[in-house]
Amino acid sequence: MSWYCDVAPGHPHHGPYHDQEYGFPLTDERALFERLCLEIFQAGLSWLIVLKKRPSMVAAFDGFDVDTVAAYGEAEMERLLADAGIIRNRRKLEAIVENARRLQALRAREGSFAAWIERHHPLTKNDWVKLFRATFVFMGGEVVGEFLMSIGYLPGSHREDCPVQARVRAAAPPYLRVDPAFYR
C-alpha cells in the first residue's frame, strides 16, 4: 500500500497539506465544501495539480462560500471556464454549483453539513458512498472515500507511525474514535 505520508515530507505542496489538514476533523461549512470540491476536481487528476491550483480555485469560487456558489449562473460558468488558473472541466464545475444548491437544501433540513455527516457516522465506506450519491452529484467511491478520510471520518489518512497521526487522533472528537475493525 502506498501512503501519502511517504510522499509529503518536505514537499512544498504535499507537505503542508499532509501535516496541517489531511485527516484532521472539520466542521466549518465553507471548509467542508471546499474539501469536497477539491476531491471532485481531483477525480482523474493528480492531487498535486489540485494543490497547486487550490489558491486560484478558492479565489475563483468566492472562497467556496456555499450560498455564493449556489447562486452562480451561466455568466459565472463562462467565467470559470475561461479561468486558466483552475481546473476547467464543465462537468466538475456544474457539479460544484449543483452541490452548493443541494448543500443549501441539506442545511435547511439538517442544520449543517457537519451535523448531517456526524449523524450518519459511523458507516462503512460503501454505505457512505451510497449516502453521498443519493445526496450530491459527481460522487464516486474515490471522491467520497478521500473526502471522508481527509476530514477524519474514515481511517487511513496516515500510517500508524506517522508523527501527524498522533495529532489527528488528539484532535478527533469522541464520536470519531471508532474501532478500525468496524470498517473491515
Side-chain angles (χ1 to χ4, degrees):
M1 176 176 194
S2 174
W3 289 91
Y4 195 45
C5 306
D6 298 328
V7 176
H11 192 280
H13 297 285
H14 290 299
Y17 178 74
H18 169 271
D19 294 351
Q20 298 162 20
E21 296 183 68
Y22 192 54
F24 288 92
L26 285 178
T27 56
D28 176 73
E29 181 180 78
R30 189 217 55 82
L32 286 167
F33 182 56
E34 176 187 357
R35 192 72 58 85
L36 185 64
C37 293
L38 294 177
E39 293 300 343
I40 289 170
F41 279 125
Q42 190 274 329
L45 301 172
S46 79
W47 188 239
L48 182 58
I49 290 170
V50 173
L51 290 176
K52 284 181 174 181
K53 290 185 175 273
R54 186 181 188 183
S56 296
M57 290 191 289
V58 169
F61 282 92
D62 295 293
F64 287 101
D65 178 77
V66 171
D67 296 320
T68 303
V69 174
Y72 283 5
E74 193 52 40
E76 287 84 3
M77 187 61 62
E78 293 306 316
R79 173 184 59 81
L80 292 169
L81 287 167
D83 187 341
I86 69 168
I87 295 166
R88 298 177 291 176
N89 176 300
R90 181 176 279 277
R91 285 188 59 231
K92 291 177 181 183
L93 297 173
E94 289 171 348
I96 286 164
V97 174
E98 177 60 24
N99 285 338
R101 293 173 184 153
R102 290 180 181 209
L103 195 48
Q104 285 179 315
L106 183 142
R107 182 198 307 140
R109 283 189 323 269
E110 306 286 339
S112 72
F113 190 18
W116 177 79
I117 295 169
E118 183 181 336
R119 264 194 287 284
H120 288 92
H121 184 66
L123 293 174
T124 64
K125 180 182 173 185
N126 287 340
D127 288 336
W128 278 117
V129 172
K130 288 176 193 171
L131 179 65
F132 270 75
R133 281 185 175 158
T135 308
F136 299 105
V137 297
F138 213 99
M139 293 291 116
E142 190 71 16
V143 170
V144 174
E146 280 299 321
F147 169 69
L148 292 167
M149 213 180 327
S150 81
I151 64 169
Y153 276 83
L154 285 177
S157 57
H158 299 275
R159 284 189 329 254
E160 285 301 315
D161 66 338
C162 176
V164 177
Q165 178 67 354
R167 293 185 16 245
V168 166
R169 276 209 181 97
Y175 62 83
L176 283 179
R177 297 182 189 134
V178 176
D179 182 349
F182 171 83
Y183 299 103
R184 291 189 194 116

